[in-house]
DNA sequence: GCCCAGGAGAAGG
DNA sequence: CCTTCTCATGGG
């Protein structure tokens, strides 16, 4: 009953790199090596065969591919050209690219990305995933996946805006519960209009709006712009990127502005992608540079 | 027990 | 403007 869509001639693609590089939190690797997850209200399994350069999406339709997955997986972009340019410019980046060659920057739902990265602050990735899953199970809608398992959509801002802080206690969000309630109410107040507009406006407009929301600072705002709006000028600086920029690029550990400036000058116009190669490289190797 | 995590807000200087 | 403190939680 579940359809399998096959997309041929897909290059620079690796599901482990894409779904485990810290940009998304709702994809889980299955026994058959596919990744199961939910995005834009659809539960699918995604797998990739490098030998035949074939992408397979289980439980999807051609219409969903056209409407959702092609943009979500950023399949229209030629990463090969960018990687070639980067590798010629920068030896450190070249090594990071060799390690995470199949990374692609997803174009995720703005609202889900906003809340997910509020949850991410001062938190570990496995626990972030658990918090988000619990949030979806409690306040999202149940949908069917390809494997008969239960999946849940990400809860809408109109639903979360109606909650009180104690309703979120089940999610173990700590002090972040307050941020989520306040931000949900702020977004719900104008029906998500401004959040929607951030995508078509420049980085300054998006940054100003996002950081006006409770629980959104410079780092989270940059993650939202990069992972849900394809604003690749964004260069999120977290503790891992700080370590990279300090120990591998020699920038003062506290000089966040200097790190952003270095990225602008040396990684443009794809600073966000460079950041993701570096993050995945340093983080998944477990290198503690400090 | 201690330290840390894809940080941000508040308080104090 | 800057720096430091505090904020829950669970895994290592």
């Amino acid at each position: 009953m579940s359809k399998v869509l096959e997309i041929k001639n897909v290059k620079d693609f690796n599901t482990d790199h894409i779904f485990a590089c810290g940009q998304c939190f709702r994809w889980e690797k299955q026994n058959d090596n596919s990744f199961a997850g939910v995005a834009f209200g659809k539960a699918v399994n995604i797998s990739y065969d490098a030998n035949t350069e074939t992408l397979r999406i289980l439980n999807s339709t051609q219409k969903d591919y056209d409407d959702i997955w092609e943009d979500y997986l950023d399949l229209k972009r030629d990463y090969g050209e960018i990687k070639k340019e980067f590798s010629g410019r920068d030896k450190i980046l070249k090594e990071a690219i060799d390690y995470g060659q199949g990374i692609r920057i997803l174009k995720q739902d703005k609202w889900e990305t906003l809340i997910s990265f509020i949850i991410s602050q001062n938190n570990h990735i496995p626990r972030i995933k658990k918090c988000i899953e619990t949030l979806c199970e409690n306040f999202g809608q149940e949908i069917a996946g390809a494997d008969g398992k239960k999946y849940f959509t990400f809860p809408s801002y109109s639903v979360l805006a109606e909650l009180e802080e104690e309703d979120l206690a089940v999610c173990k969000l700590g002090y972040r519960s307050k941020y989520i309630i306040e931000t949900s109410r702020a977004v719900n107040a104008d029906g998500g209009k401004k959040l929607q507009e951030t995508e078509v406006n420049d980085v300054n407009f998006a940054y100003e709006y996002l950081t006006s929301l409770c629980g959104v600072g410079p780092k989270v705002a940059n993650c939202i712009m990069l992972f849900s709006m394809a604003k690749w000028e964004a260069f999120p600086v977290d503790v891992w990127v700080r370590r990279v920029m300090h120990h591998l690029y020699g920038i003062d550990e506290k000089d966040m502005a200097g790190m952003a400036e270095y990225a602008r000058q040396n990684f443009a116009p794809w600073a966000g992608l460079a950041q993701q190669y570096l993050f995945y490289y340093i983080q998944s190797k477990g290198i503690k540079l400090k």
Side-chain angles (χ1 to χ4, degrees):
Chain A
M1 77 182 224
S2 291
K3 284 189 179 178
V4 182
L5 268 182
E6 288 202 345
I7 316 299
K8 308 268 188 193
N9 201 29
V10 175
K11 301 177 194 304
D12 306 301
F13 195 103
N14 181 301
T15 50
D16 289 311
H17 298 169
I18 292 169
F19 296 124
C21 71
Q23 62 178 326
C24 56
F25 304 103
R26 297 204 65 201
W27 294 93
E28 292 296 336
K29 195 168 188 173
Q30 308 298 303
N31 291 333
D32 65 356
N33 280 335
S34 71
F35 275 79
V38 180
F40 291 99
K42 306 283 183 177
V44 298
N45 291 57
I46 295 178
S47 55
Y48 178 73
D49 182 352
N51 292 326
T52 58
E53 297 185 337
T54 303
L55 172 68
R56 290 189 177 84
I57 307 178
L58 180 60
N59 199 32
S60 184
T61 62
Q62 183 65 43
K63 180 172 165 43
D64 282 350
Y65 176 77
D66 296 338
D67 292 348
I68 299 170
W69 304 116
E70 186 175 31
D71 282 337
Y72 181 82
L73 297 168
D74 200 23
L75 292 173
K76 291 175 186 167
R77 196 186 307 266
D78 182 356
Y79 280 70
E81 279 300 310
I82 303 173
K83 291 195 288 186
K84 209 167 123 188
E85 166 75 17
F86 270 157
S87 297
R89 283 192 209 175
D90 183 325
K91 222 171 174 180
I92 300 165
L93 199 46
K94 182 185 186 313
E95 204 171 319
I97 290 171
D98 288 343
Y99 189 76
Q101 45 79 20
I103 287 176
R104 279 172 179 264
I105 304 290
L106 297 174
K107 191 156 184 279
Q108 303 177 69
D109 176 73
K110 289 185 281 296
W111 165 248
E112 175 176 338
T113 308
L114 165 60
I115 296 302
S116 295
F117 278 91
I118 288 178
I119 293 172
S120 81
Q121 66 182 194
N122 201 26
N123 211 343
H124 288 91
I125 289 179
R127 221 176 76 76
I128 297 165
K129 293 172 74 169
K130 193 175 288 183
C131 290
I132 292 173
E133 227 36 57
T134 309
L135 185 70
C136 295
E137 285 167 10
N138 281 275
F139 306 106
Q141 291 184 320
E142 188 180 328
I143 54 173
D147 45 17
K149 286 187 202 163
K150 288 182 182 178
Y151 290 89
F152 294 87
T153 62
F154 196 87
S156 66
Y157 45 78
S158 56
V159 166
L160 296 188
E162 296 300 316
L163 301 180
E164 303 294 335
E165 248 182 86
E166 55 263 33
D167 297 323
L168 290 178
V170 61
C171 300
K172 306 289 186 186
L173 296 165
Y175 64 90
R176 307 172 194 87
S177 292
K178 183 185 170 191
Y179 297 167
I180 289 172
I181 297 292
E182 285 198 25
T183 289
S184 296
R185 289 176 182 171
V187 170
N188 191 51
D190 73 345
K193 192 161 177 284
K194 273 195 179 171
L195 181 61
Q196 195 61 35
E197 287 173 356
T198 52
E199 183 173 341
V200 294
N201 279 287
D202 63 20
V203 166
N204 276 343
F205 179 93
Y207 185 84
E208 292 305 317
Y209 172 68
L210 291 171
T211 53
S212 78
L213 297 169
C214 183
V216 180
K219 191 268 174 181
V220 170
N222 276 293
C223 283
I224 298 163
M225 292 193 292
L226 179 58
F227 300 138
S228 73
M229 301 176 190
K231 295 186 185 299
W232 284 27
E233 316 92 294
F235 190 78
V237 179
D238 71 334
V239 290
W240 296 97
V241 176
R242 279 177 70 183
R243 287 172 190 154
V244 174
M245 299 310 287
H246 176 55
H247 291 278
L248 301 184
Y249 289 94
I251 300 170
D252 188 294
E253 207 169 2
K254 286 176 283 186
D255 187 10
M256 314 293 267
M259 293 177 186
E261 182 59 25
Y262 186 93
R264 254 194 305 279
Q265 289 184 2
N266 296 279
F267 303 147
W270 314 289
L273 179 62
Q275 187 269 10
Q276 206 54 19
Y277 286 126
L278 293 170
F279 175 87
Y280 183 68
Y281 175 64
I282 207 75
Q283 208 247 3
S284 56
K285 284 176 93 73
I287 295 175
K288 299 267 184 183
L289 289 174
K290 206 173 164 182

